[in-house]
Short mmCIF file of all heavy atoms in Angstrom, two decimals:
data_model
loop_
_atom_site.label_atom_id
_atom_site.label_comp_id
_atom_site.label_asym_id
_atom_site.label_seq_id
_atom_site.Cartn_x
_atom_site.Cartn_y
_atom_site.Cartn_z
N MET X 8 -13.30 7.18 6.85
CA MET X 8 -11.97 6.55 6.87
C MET X 8 -11.99 5.33 5.93
O MET X 8 -12.93 4.61 5.87
CB MET X 8 -11.60 6.17 8.27
CG MET X 8 -11.26 7.30 9.13
SD MET X 8 -9.73 8.12 8.61
CE MET X 8 -8.99 8.55 10.17
N THR X 9 -10.86 5.18 5.28
CA THR X 9 -10.68 4.03 4.41
C THR X 9 -9.58 3.12 5.09
O THR X 9 -8.61 3.65 5.60
CB THR X 9 -10.20 4.39 3.01
OG1 THR X 9 -11.33 5.09 2.37
CG2 THR X 9 -9.84 3.22 2.17
N LYS X 10 -9.85 1.81 5.13
CA LYS X 10 -8.91 0.89 5.70
C LYS X 10 -7.97 0.34 4.73
O LYS X 10 -8.44 -0.06 3.61
CB LYS X 10 -9.69 -0.25 6.46
CG LYS X 10 -8.87 -1.07 7.40
CD LYS X 10 -9.63 -1.44 8.64
CE LYS X 10 -8.75 -2.00 9.70
NZ LYS X 10 -8.16 -0.96 10.55
N VAL X 11 -6.67 0.25 5.05
CA VAL X 11 -5.66 -0.20 4.07
C VAL X 11 -5.10 -1.56 4.56
O VAL X 11 -4.75 -1.70 5.70
CB VAL X 11 -4.48 0.79 4.02
CG1 VAL X 11 -3.45 0.35 3.02
CG2 VAL X 11 -5.03 2.23 3.73
N CYS X 12 -5.19 -2.56 3.63
CA CYS X 12 -4.61 -3.82 3.97
C CYS X 12 -3.72 -4.23 2.84
O CYS X 12 -3.97 -4.07 1.68
CB CYS X 12 -5.66 -4.86 4.06
SG CYS X 12 -6.65 -4.66 5.57
N VAL X 13 -2.62 -4.94 3.22
CA VAL X 13 -1.70 -5.61 2.22
C VAL X 13 -1.74 -7.11 2.54
O VAL X 13 -1.49 -7.53 3.71
CB VAL X 13 -0.26 -5.07 2.33
CG1 VAL X 13 0.65 -5.94 1.51
CG2 VAL X 13 -0.20 -3.61 1.90
N ASP X 14 -1.97 -7.90 1.52
CA ASP X 14 -1.89 -9.31 1.60
C ASP X 14 -0.46 -9.77 1.46
O ASP X 14 0.09 -9.73 0.36
CB ASP X 14 -2.81 -9.98 0.48
CG ASP X 14 -2.92 -11.46 0.70
OD1 ASP X 14 -1.99 -12.05 1.33
OD2 ASP X 14 -3.93 -12.05 0.22
N SER X 15 0.19 -10.11 2.54
CA SER X 15 1.59 -10.45 2.51
C SER X 15 1.91 -11.68 1.71
O SER X 15 2.98 -11.87 1.29
CB SER X 15 2.13 -10.61 3.88
OG SER X 15 1.47 -11.65 4.63
N ALA X 16 0.81 -12.48 1.50
CA ALA X 16 1.00 -13.75 0.62
C ALA X 16 1.14 -13.36 -0.85
O ALA X 16 1.72 -14.12 -1.62
CB ALA X 16 -0.18 -14.67 0.83
N LEU X 17 0.53 -12.16 -1.22
CA LEU X 17 0.61 -11.74 -2.60
C LEU X 17 1.77 -10.78 -2.93
O LEU X 17 2.22 -10.67 -3.98
CB LEU X 17 -0.75 -11.02 -3.01
CG LEU X 17 -1.99 -11.97 -2.99
CD1 LEU X 17 -3.24 -11.16 -3.29
CD2 LEU X 17 -1.83 -13.10 -4.06
N CYS X 18 2.08 -9.98 -1.91
CA CYS X 18 3.16 -9.01 -2.12
C CYS X 18 4.54 -9.58 -2.43
O CYS X 18 4.97 -10.52 -1.67
CB CYS X 18 3.32 -8.14 -0.79
SG CYS X 18 4.69 -6.95 -0.86
N VAL X 19 5.14 -9.22 -3.51
CA VAL X 19 6.46 -9.75 -3.88
C VAL X 19 7.54 -8.66 -3.81
O VAL X 19 8.67 -8.96 -4.12
CB VAL X 19 6.44 -10.36 -5.23
CG1 VAL X 19 5.47 -11.59 -5.27
CG2 VAL X 19 6.09 -9.37 -6.31
N GLY X 20 7.15 -7.47 -3.33
CA GLY X 20 8.15 -6.48 -3.07
C GLY X 20 8.66 -5.64 -4.24
O GLY X 20 9.78 -5.22 -4.39
N HIS X 21 7.77 -5.34 -5.18
CA HIS X 21 8.02 -4.38 -6.25
C HIS X 21 8.38 -3.04 -5.75
O HIS X 21 9.10 -2.25 -6.38
CB HIS X 21 6.90 -4.28 -7.27
CG HIS X 21 6.51 -5.52 -7.91
ND1 HIS X 21 7.32 -6.12 -8.92
CD2 HIS X 21 5.36 -6.27 -7.88
CE1 HIS X 21 6.72 -7.19 -9.36
NE2 HIS X 21 5.59 -7.33 -8.74
N GLY X 22 7.79 -2.67 -4.69
CA GLY X 22 8.01 -1.38 -4.05
C GLY X 22 7.23 -0.18 -4.66
O GLY X 22 7.49 0.90 -4.32
N ARG X 23 6.32 -0.49 -5.52
CA ARG X 23 5.57 0.65 -6.10
C ARG X 23 4.70 1.37 -5.07
O ARG X 23 4.55 2.57 -5.13
CB ARG X 23 4.73 0.13 -7.26
CG ARG X 23 5.62 -0.42 -8.39
CD ARG X 23 4.77 -0.93 -9.53
NE ARG X 23 4.34 0.18 -10.33
CZ ARG X 23 3.87 0.07 -11.56
NH1 ARG X 23 3.89 -1.11 -12.14
NH2 ARG X 23 3.40 1.07 -12.23
N CYS X 24 4.21 0.61 -4.12
CA CYS X 24 3.31 1.19 -3.10
C CYS X 24 4.04 2.24 -2.26
O CYS X 24 3.59 3.34 -2.06
CB CYS X 24 2.59 0.10 -2.30
SG CYS X 24 3.79 -0.94 -1.45
N TYR X 25 5.20 1.84 -1.71
CA TYR X 25 5.92 2.77 -0.81
C TYR X 25 6.63 3.84 -1.63
O TYR X 25 7.10 4.83 -1.00
CB TYR X 25 6.69 2.11 0.21
CG TYR X 25 7.60 0.95 -0.19
CD1 TYR X 25 8.89 1.15 -0.80
CD2 TYR X 25 7.22 -0.34 -0.04
CE1 TYR X 25 9.64 0.16 -1.15
CE2 TYR X 25 8.02 -1.41 -0.44
CZ TYR X 25 9.23 -1.23 -1.02
OH TYR X 25 10.03 -2.28 -1.40
N THR X 26 6.82 3.68 -2.94
CA THR X 26 7.34 4.71 -3.72
C THR X 26 6.30 5.79 -4.01
O THR X 26 6.47 7.02 -3.89
CB THR X 26 7.94 4.24 -5.06
OG1 THR X 26 8.95 3.32 -4.76
CG2 THR X 26 8.48 5.28 -5.92
N LEU X 27 5.08 5.31 -4.42
CA LEU X 27 4.03 6.20 -4.71
C LEU X 27 3.31 6.76 -3.47
O LEU X 27 2.77 7.89 -3.54
CB LEU X 27 2.93 5.46 -5.55
CG LEU X 27 3.28 5.07 -6.95
CD1 LEU X 27 2.24 4.05 -7.45
CD2 LEU X 27 3.29 6.34 -7.80
N ALA X 28 3.32 6.02 -2.40
CA ALA X 28 2.51 6.44 -1.23
C ALA X 28 3.42 6.27 0.04
O ALA X 28 3.10 5.43 0.91
CB ALA X 28 1.24 5.58 -1.12
N PRO X 29 4.51 7.04 0.12
CA PRO X 29 5.45 6.81 1.24
C PRO X 29 4.90 7.10 2.59
O PRO X 29 5.43 6.72 3.63
CB PRO X 29 6.67 7.70 0.87
CG PRO X 29 6.03 8.79 -0.02
CD PRO X 29 4.90 8.06 -0.83
N ASP X 30 3.82 7.90 2.63
CA ASP X 30 3.24 8.27 3.91
C ASP X 30 2.28 7.16 4.41
O ASP X 30 1.88 7.18 5.59
CB ASP X 30 2.45 9.59 3.86
CG ASP X 30 3.35 10.70 3.52
OD1 ASP X 30 4.57 10.71 3.94
OD2 ASP X 30 2.95 11.62 2.80
N VAL X 31 1.96 6.24 3.55
CA VAL X 31 1.03 5.19 3.92
C VAL X 31 1.70 3.88 4.06
O VAL X 31 1.34 3.00 4.87
CB VAL X 31 -0.11 5.06 2.88
CG1 VAL X 31 -1.12 3.95 3.24
CG2 VAL X 31 -0.82 6.35 2.70
N PHE X 32 2.70 3.62 3.19
CA PHE X 32 3.37 2.29 3.19
C PHE X 32 4.87 2.50 3.49
O PHE X 32 5.47 3.50 3.14
CB PHE X 32 3.27 1.62 1.83
CG PHE X 32 1.82 1.37 1.39
CD1 PHE X 32 1.14 2.30 0.65
CD2 PHE X 32 1.15 0.19 1.79
CE1 PHE X 32 -0.20 2.12 0.22
CE2 PHE X 32 -0.17 0.02 1.42
CZ PHE X 32 -0.85 0.93 0.68
N ASP X 33 5.45 1.46 4.04
CA ASP X 33 6.89 1.34 4.22
C ASP X 33 7.37 0.00 3.75
O ASP X 33 6.56 -0.90 3.44
CB ASP X 33 7.26 1.60 5.68
CG ASP X 33 8.71 2.10 5.94
OD1 ASP X 33 9.45 2.12 4.95
OD2 ASP X 33 8.97 2.45 7.10
N ALA X 34 8.69 -0.22 3.74
CA ALA X 34 9.29 -1.45 3.35
C ALA X 34 9.79 -2.20 4.51
O ALA X 34 10.43 -1.56 5.38
CB ALA X 34 10.37 -1.22 2.28
N ASP X 35 9.72 -3.49 4.51
CA ASP X 35 10.40 -4.31 5.62
C ASP X 35 11.79 -4.60 5.06
O ASP X 35 12.13 -4.11 3.97
CB ASP X 35 9.60 -5.52 5.98
CG ASP X 35 9.56 -6.58 4.87
OD1 ASP X 35 10.32 -6.53 3.91
OD2 ASP X 35 8.71 -7.56 5.09
N GLU X 36 12.52 -5.36 5.85
CA GLU X 36 13.88 -5.60 5.45
C GLU X 36 14.04 -6.38 4.18
O GLU X 36 15.15 -6.44 3.58
CB GLU X 36 14.66 -6.36 6.56
CG GLU X 36 14.00 -7.65 6.92
CD GLU X 36 14.53 -8.34 8.19
OE1 GLU X 36 15.72 -8.44 8.26
OE2 GLU X 36 13.74 -8.63 9.05
N TYR X 37 12.99 -7.06 3.65
CA TYR X 37 13.07 -7.74 2.40
C TYR X 37 12.46 -6.95 1.26
O TYR X 37 12.38 -7.45 0.14
CB TYR X 37 12.31 -9.06 2.59
CG TYR X 37 12.82 -9.96 3.62
CD1 TYR X 37 12.09 -10.07 4.89
CD2 TYR X 37 14.08 -10.57 3.55
CE1 TYR X 37 12.60 -10.81 5.90
CE2 TYR X 37 14.56 -11.32 4.61
CZ TYR X 37 13.85 -11.44 5.78
OH TYR X 37 14.33 -12.22 6.81
N GLY X 38 12.00 -5.68 1.46
CA GLY X 38 11.37 -4.90 0.47
C GLY X 38 9.92 -5.13 0.28
O GLY X 38 9.27 -4.53 -0.59
N HIS X 39 9.36 -5.96 1.19
CA HIS X 39 7.90 -6.16 1.12
C HIS X 39 7.21 -5.04 1.87
O HIS X 39 7.80 -4.36 2.66
CB HIS X 39 7.53 -7.50 1.81
CG HIS X 39 8.00 -8.71 1.02
ND1 HIS X 39 7.97 -9.94 1.43
CD2 HIS X 39 8.58 -8.80 -0.24
CE1 HIS X 39 8.43 -10.85 0.53
NE2 HIS X 39 8.85 -10.11 -0.51
N SER X 40 5.93 -4.87 1.50
CA SER X 40 5.20 -3.72 2.02
C SER X 40 4.73 -3.87 3.45
O SER X 40 4.25 -4.94 3.81
CB SER X 40 4.00 -3.44 1.11
OG SER X 40 3.29 -2.37 1.52
N ILE X 41 4.77 -2.76 4.17
CA ILE X 41 4.24 -2.68 5.53
C ILE X 41 3.29 -1.48 5.51
O ILE X 41 3.57 -0.44 4.90
CB ILE X 41 5.36 -2.39 6.58
CG1 ILE X 41 6.38 -3.55 6.67
CG2 ILE X 41 4.71 -2.04 7.91
CD1 ILE X 41 7.60 -3.14 7.47
N VAL X 42 2.15 -1.60 6.11
CA VAL X 42 1.14 -0.53 6.18
C VAL X 42 1.61 0.31 7.32
O VAL X 42 1.65 -0.12 8.51
CB VAL X 42 -0.25 -1.09 6.37
CG1 VAL X 42 -1.19 0.08 6.52
CG2 VAL X 42 -0.75 -1.90 5.18
N ARG X 43 1.91 1.58 7.07
CA ARG X 43 2.26 2.56 8.12
C ARG X 43 1.03 3.10 8.76
O ARG X 43 1.04 3.36 10.01
CB ARG X 43 3.14 3.62 7.57
CG ARG X 43 4.43 3.26 7.01
CD ARG X 43 5.21 4.45 6.45
NE ARG X 43 5.56 5.34 7.50
CZ ARG X 43 6.16 6.55 7.35
NH1 ARG X 43 6.41 6.95 6.15
NH2 ARG X 43 6.46 7.32 8.40
N VAL X 44 0.07 3.46 7.94
CA VAL X 44 -1.17 4.07 8.47
C VAL X 44 -2.32 3.28 7.90
O VAL X 44 -2.52 3.22 6.65
CB VAL X 44 -1.25 5.55 7.98
CG1 VAL X 44 -2.54 6.19 8.59
CG2 VAL X 44 -0.04 6.27 8.28
N ALA X 45 -3.07 2.59 8.74
CA ALA X 45 -4.09 1.70 8.36
C ALA X 45 -5.42 2.37 8.07
O ALA X 45 -6.22 1.78 7.31
CB ALA X 45 -4.29 0.56 9.40
N ASP X 46 -5.64 3.51 8.67
CA ASP X 46 -6.89 4.20 8.44
C ASP X 46 -6.52 5.58 7.89
O ASP X 46 -5.87 6.38 8.51
CB ASP X 46 -7.66 4.38 9.81
CG ASP X 46 -8.11 3.04 10.38
OD1 ASP X 46 -8.95 2.40 9.67
OD2 ASP X 46 -7.65 2.65 11.40
N VAL X 47 -7.04 5.76 6.61
CA VAL X 47 -6.60 6.99 5.85
C VAL X 47 -7.81 7.75 5.35
O VAL X 47 -8.90 7.17 5.17
CB VAL X 47 -5.73 6.56 4.62
CG1 VAL X 47 -4.43 6.00 5.10
CG2 VAL X 47 -6.43 5.66 3.71
N SER X 48 -7.54 9.07 5.24
CA SER X 48 -8.55 9.93 4.55
C SER X 48 -7.74 11.06 3.89
O SER X 48 -6.53 11.21 4.09
CB SER X 48 -9.56 10.52 5.59
OG SER X 48 -8.89 11.20 6.50
N GLY X 49 -8.42 11.82 3.05
CA GLY X 49 -7.75 12.98 2.42
C GLY X 49 -6.63 12.65 1.54
O GLY X 49 -6.62 11.70 0.76
N GLU X 50 -5.52 13.37 1.81
CA GLU X 50 -4.30 13.17 0.99
C GLU X 50 -3.74 11.78 1.11
O GLU X 50 -3.32 11.15 0.15
CB GLU X 50 -3.25 14.18 1.45
CG GLU X 50 -1.77 13.89 0.96
CD GLU X 50 -1.70 13.85 -0.56
OE1 GLU X 50 -2.55 14.49 -1.27
OE2 GLU X 50 -0.70 13.32 -1.02
N LEU X 51 -3.80 11.20 2.35
CA LEU X 51 -3.30 9.87 2.49
C LEU X 51 -4.16 8.84 1.79
O LEU X 51 -3.67 7.82 1.27
CB LEU X 51 -3.25 9.49 3.95
CG LEU X 51 -2.17 10.25 4.82
CD1 LEU X 51 -2.11 9.68 6.29
CD2 LEU X 51 -0.78 10.17 4.21
N GLU X 52 -5.45 9.09 1.80
CA GLU X 52 -6.34 8.18 1.00
C GLU X 52 -6.04 8.20 -0.47
O GLU X 52 -6.02 7.21 -1.14
CB GLU X 52 -7.82 8.53 1.24
CG GLU X 52 -8.75 7.61 0.54
CD GLU X 52 -10.21 7.92 0.81
OE1 GLU X 52 -10.47 9.05 1.21
OE2 GLU X 52 -11.02 7.01 0.63
N GLN X 53 -5.71 9.39 -1.00
CA GLN X 53 -5.42 9.53 -2.42
C GLN X 53 -4.10 8.69 -2.72
O GLN X 53 -4.01 8.02 -3.72
CB GLN X 53 -5.22 11.00 -2.80
CG GLN X 53 -5.07 11.19 -4.29
CD GLN X 53 -6.23 10.51 -5.04
OE1 GLN X 53 -7.39 10.76 -4.76
NE2 GLN X 53 -5.93 9.64 -5.99
N GLN X 54 -3.14 8.85 -1.81
CA GLN X 54 -1.88 8.04 -1.98
C GLN X 54 -2.19 6.54 -1.96
O GLN X 54 -1.70 5.80 -2.77
CB GLN X 54 -0.89 8.31 -0.85
CG GLN X 54 -0.15 9.62 -0.91
CD GLN X 54 0.99 9.74 0.08
OE1 GLN X 54 1.60 8.70 0.42
NE2 GLN X 54 1.36 10.93 0.49
N ALA X 55 -3.07 6.14 -1.03
CA ALA X 55 -3.39 4.73 -0.91
C ALA X 55 -4.08 4.21 -2.18
O ALA X 55 -3.86 3.10 -2.68
CB ALA X 55 -4.29 4.48 0.28
N VAL X 56 -4.96 5.01 -2.81
CA VAL X 56 -5.64 4.69 -4.03
C VAL X 56 -4.66 4.53 -5.13
O VAL X 56 -4.68 3.61 -5.92
CB VAL X 56 -6.77 5.76 -4.38
CG1 VAL X 56 -7.30 5.49 -5.79
CG2 VAL X 56 -7.87 5.65 -3.36
N ASP X 57 -3.70 5.45 -5.26
CA ASP X 57 -2.64 5.38 -6.32
C ASP X 57 -1.88 4.07 -6.09
O ASP X 57 -1.63 3.33 -7.12
CB ASP X 57 -1.64 6.56 -6.16
CG ASP X 57 -2.24 7.84 -6.67
OD1 ASP X 57 -3.22 7.81 -7.37
OD2 ASP X 57 -1.63 8.92 -6.40
N ALA X 58 -1.54 3.71 -4.87
CA ALA X 58 -0.82 2.44 -4.67
C ALA X 58 -1.63 1.28 -5.05
O ALA X 58 -1.12 0.35 -5.62
CB ALA X 58 -0.36 2.43 -3.20
N GLU X 59 -2.85 1.30 -4.58
CA GLU X 59 -3.77 0.12 -4.88
C GLU X 59 -3.91 -0.10 -6.40
O GLU X 59 -3.86 -1.20 -6.83
CB GLU X 59 -5.14 0.40 -4.22
CG GLU X 59 -6.09 -0.75 -4.28
CD GLU X 59 -7.14 -0.61 -5.32
OE1 GLU X 59 -7.29 0.45 -5.86
OE2 GLU X 59 -7.85 -1.60 -5.56
N GLN X 60 -4.01 1.04 -7.13
CA GLN X 60 -4.16 0.83 -8.59
C GLN X 60 -2.91 0.51 -9.32
O GLN X 60 -2.95 0.08 -10.42
CB GLN X 60 -4.77 2.21 -9.17
CG GLN X 60 -6.17 2.40 -8.69
CD GLN X 60 -6.68 3.86 -9.20
OE1 GLN X 60 -5.91 4.70 -9.62
NE2 GLN X 60 -7.97 3.98 -9.04
N ASN X 61 -1.78 0.71 -8.61
CA ASN X 61 -0.46 0.42 -9.29
C ASN X 61 0.23 -0.84 -8.72
O ASN X 61 1.39 -1.08 -9.19
CB ASN X 61 0.42 1.63 -9.18
CG ASN X 61 0.03 2.71 -10.11
OD1 ASN X 61 0.35 2.70 -11.29
ND2 ASN X 61 -0.74 3.73 -9.70
N CYS X 62 -0.31 -1.57 -7.82
CA CYS X 62 0.27 -2.74 -7.36
C CYS X 62 0.10 -3.89 -8.39
O CYS X 62 -1.00 -4.27 -8.68
CB CYS X 62 -0.30 -3.22 -6.05
SG CYS X 62 0.34 -4.78 -5.58
N PRO X 63 1.14 -4.38 -8.97
CA PRO X 63 1.10 -5.38 -10.02
C PRO X 63 0.48 -6.68 -9.55
O PRO X 63 -0.02 -7.45 -10.27
CB PRO X 63 2.50 -5.58 -10.43
CG PRO X 63 3.26 -4.38 -10.04
CD PRO X 63 2.61 -3.95 -8.76
N GLU X 64 0.62 -6.95 -8.22
CA GLU X 64 0.12 -8.20 -7.64
C GLU X 64 -1.29 -8.07 -7.08
O GLU X 64 -1.87 -9.06 -6.60
CB GLU X 64 1.06 -8.68 -6.57
CG GLU X 64 2.52 -8.71 -6.97
CD GLU X 64 2.74 -9.63 -8.16
OE1 GLU X 64 2.09 -10.64 -8.31
OE2 GLU X 64 3.59 -9.24 -9.02
N ARG X 65 -1.88 -6.90 -7.19
CA ARG X 65 -3.15 -6.64 -6.59
C ARG X 65 -3.27 -7.10 -5.09
O ARG X 65 -4.16 -7.68 -4.61
CB ARG X 65 -4.28 -7.29 -7.35
CG ARG X 65 -4.24 -6.99 -8.87
CD ARG X 65 -5.50 -7.23 -9.64
NE ARG X 65 -6.55 -6.29 -9.25
CZ ARG X 65 -6.72 -5.07 -9.73
NH1 ARG X 65 -5.91 -4.65 -10.64
NH2 ARG X 65 -7.72 -4.30 -9.32
N ALA X 66 -2.12 -6.78 -4.42
CA ALA X 66 -1.99 -7.18 -3.01
C ALA X 66 -2.60 -6.23 -2.05
O ALA X 66 -2.78 -6.52 -0.85
CB ALA X 66 -0.56 -7.35 -2.69
N ILE X 67 -3.02 -5.03 -2.55
CA ILE X 67 -3.45 -3.93 -1.68
C ILE X 67 -4.99 -3.88 -1.76
O ILE X 67 -5.56 -3.84 -2.89
CB ILE X 67 -2.87 -2.58 -2.06
CG1 ILE X 67 -1.38 -2.59 -1.91
CG2 ILE X 67 -3.48 -1.50 -1.20
CD1 ILE X 67 -0.66 -1.40 -2.52
N THR X 68 -5.61 -3.88 -0.62
CA THR X 68 -7.08 -3.82 -0.51
C THR X 68 -7.52 -2.62 0.25
O THR X 68 -7.01 -2.35 1.36
CB THR X 68 -7.71 -5.05 0.13
OG1 THR X 68 -7.28 -6.18 -0.61
CG2 THR X 68 -9.26 -5.02 0.11
N LEU X 69 -8.45 -1.83 -0.29
CA LEU X 69 -8.93 -0.69 0.39
C LEU X 69 -10.43 -0.98 0.73
O LEU X 69 -11.19 -1.44 -0.13
CB LEU X 69 -8.90 0.58 -0.37
CG LEU X 69 -7.52 0.95 -0.93
CD1 LEU X 69 -7.54 2.29 -1.68
CD2 LEU X 69 -6.55 1.15 0.24
N SER X 70 -10.83 -0.83 1.99
CA SER X 70 -12.23 -1.07 2.34
C SER X 70 -12.75 0.19 3.09
O SER X 70 -12.03 0.84 3.78
CB SER X 70 -12.37 -2.34 3.13
OG SER X 70 -11.47 -2.30 4.25
N HIS X 71 -14.02 0.39 2.88
CA HIS X 71 -14.72 1.58 3.43
C HIS X 71 -15.67 1.20 4.56
O HIS X 71 -16.16 0.17 4.61
CB HIS X 71 -15.46 2.37 2.32
CG HIS X 71 -14.57 2.73 1.18
ND1 HIS X 71 -13.77 3.90 1.18
CD2 HIS X 71 -14.36 2.14 0.05
CE1 HIS X 71 -13.08 3.94 0.12
NE2 HIS X 71 -13.42 2.88 -0.63
S1 LIG F 1 3.35 -2.56 -4.93
FE1 LIG F 1 2.24 -4.45 -4.25
S2 LIG F 1 3.68 -6.13 -4.63
FE2 LIG F 1 4.83 -4.23 -4.63
S3 LIG F 1 5.63 -3.94 -2.50
FE3 LIG F 1 3.68 -2.84 -2.73
S4 LIG F 1 2.07 -4.31 -2.06
FE4 LIG F 1 3.92 -5.47 -2.51
#
């Protein structure tokens, strides 16, 4: 399992994570990212990697 974290101090709400990985991330009322599924594998892990690589603020951390 891979653990998904978003640093809310870095997230500015571009929305790329929940667009690319809607099964892993959601938006709060301000458009900032919320982690829907914190422990991912398989398809969800692939979504999480896509989001991590595309977050302009590098606010997403994946740990194993
Ligand atoms: S892509 Fe990064 S900055 Fe944008 S909403 Fe997601 S975590 Fe926040």
Side-chain angles (χ1 to χ4, degrees):
M8 284 293 214
T9 294
K10 191 140 195 90
V11 183
C12 288
V13 171
D14 186 337
S15 58
L17 294 176
C18 174
V19 298
H21 298 290
R23 296 180 77 163
C24 55
Y25 45 82
T26 300
L27 288 167
D30 298 324
V31 180
F32 301 93
D33 201 353
D35 71 9
E36 59 190 305
Y37 304 106
H39 293 172
S40 180
I41 296 170
V42 177
R43 298 179 64 186
V44 183
D46 294 296
V47 294
S48 62
E50 165 63 19
L51 291 187
E52 182 176 22
Q53 190 54 55
Q54 283 194 29
V56 169
D57 284 347
E59 187 256 349
Q60 291 176 345
N61 284 280
C62 173
E64 308 304 322
R65 307 198 71 83
I67 298 169
T68 305
L69 305 181
S70 52
H71 303 277

